[in-house]
Amino acid sequence: MRMVLLGPPGAGKGTQAQRIVSRFGILHLSTGDMLRAAAAAETCIGRKVKRMMASGALVPDQLVIAAIVERISQADAGRGFVLDGFPRTISQAVAFDDLLDTEGLVLDHVVELRADEEVLLDRILTRAREAMESGGAVRADDNRETLKVRLDAYNEQTAPLVEYYRTRDLLRSVDGLQPVDAVTFELFRAIGQG
Ligand code: ADP
């Protein structure tokens, strides 16, 4: 199974992706995690993107597209994957369609997690506080000011993907404001696996 999770920062894509992974045994590919790992390891790409990510802005399309092309071509991706945080712009979606075409693969589902902005701010601040309390690392972009930039990026650059996938008849929407288990339940039902 190959699927894409869409939704604003804090909508719960990472949490639901974990549930999908446990149920279907497919890979969780989060471009945010991949980029944070590159930044932490101070790779060439990591050094380039660290400041962009901390500002809340998107990193250049070519860079994430190259990372995804490389990752999806690895053998373990053959079982399928759930993409979290990619595609995030129309040009990423077009490049992803080209990649699927070239590889003879089909995208099965796109699920949008809907949530309003008030709740997102609460969730992001809670995530930052909990990370701090447990002695973990707080994401450089999990704060009130940067969230505003991330939401603007989402609304301007990523939200158009909802229409892009709706016209391809792939889009399902789930209310991400419900408790985690309820979201999972609805999500599985939305993809015909309830
Ligand atoms: P969230 O969905 O909570 O905003 P992510 O972990 O998905 O967080 O992404 C964090 C940051 O990583 C983004 O703000 C952006 O800078 C960068 N990023 C992740 N995925 C992409 C992508 N597909 N295209 C461009 N930038 C990306």
Side-chain angles (χ1 to χ4, degrees):
M1 179 193 294
R2 282 169 290 274
M3 69 184 280
V4 166
L5 286 179
L6 276 181
K13 301 183 297 290
T15 306
Q16 296 303 326
Q18 301 294 351
R19 305 279 180 106
I20 294 165
V21 167
S22 332
R23 167 98 176 241
F24 302 107
I26 58 180
L27 290 185
H28 175 199
L29 301 183
S30 155
T31 41
D33 288 349
M34 289 160 72
L35 294 168
R36 276 186 290 276
E42 304 223 329
T43 63
C44 178
I45 287 178
R47 278 196 293 271
K48 276 192 202 139
V49 300
K50 198 168 182 174
R51 251 178 301 151
M52 287 180 227
M53 291 175 75
S55 77
L58 297 188
V59 310
D61 284 334
Q62 303 90 300
L63 207 144
V64 259
I65 292 167
I68 284 290
V69 168
E70 152 99 39
R71 186 64 190 88
I72 285 179
S73 67
Q74 291 171 23
D76 58 353
R79 282 179 285 136
F81 47 78
V82 51
L83 283 167
D84 155 12
F86 181 93
R88 222 175 179 102
T89 63
I90 294 283
S91 57
Q92 290 178 22
V94 170
F96 181 48
D97 277 346
D98 288 348
L99 170 67
L100 291 170
D101 262 2
T102 314
E103 302 285 326
L105 301 173
V106 174
L107 178 61
D108 301 297
H109 310 287
V110 178
V111 178
E112 175 201 17
L113 297 177
R114 280 182 284 99
D116 39 70
E117 300 201 353
E118 316 280 282
V119 173
L120 300 176
L121 177 63
D122 268 5
R123 287 185 181 179
I124 297 275
L125 296 180
T126 304
R127 176 162 81 188
R129 200 187 52 238
E130 286 174 354
M132 197 143 62
E133 283 167 5
S134 66
V138 177
R139 275 173 53 170
D141 58 352
D142 271 357
N143 56 68
R144 188 184 300 268
E145 297 68 40
T146 311
L147 178 63
K148 170 90 180 70
V149 181
R150 287 157 69 196
L151 285 173
D152 287 348
Y154 182 80
N155 292 330
E156 283 160 28
Q157 300 181 74
T158 310
L161 294 182
V162 168
E163 219 32 59
Y164 181 91
Y165 286 117
R166 203 196 309 277
T167 57
R168 285 157 181 73
D169 204 20
L170 281 170
L171 189 85
R172 305 286 174 265
S173 288
V174 171
D175 176 5
L177 294 177
Q178 307 173 89
V180 175
D181 287 346
V183 175
T184 308
F185 181 83
E186 243 194 61
L187 191 156
F188 287 162
R189 215 177 35 183
I191 62 172
Q193 302 282 340

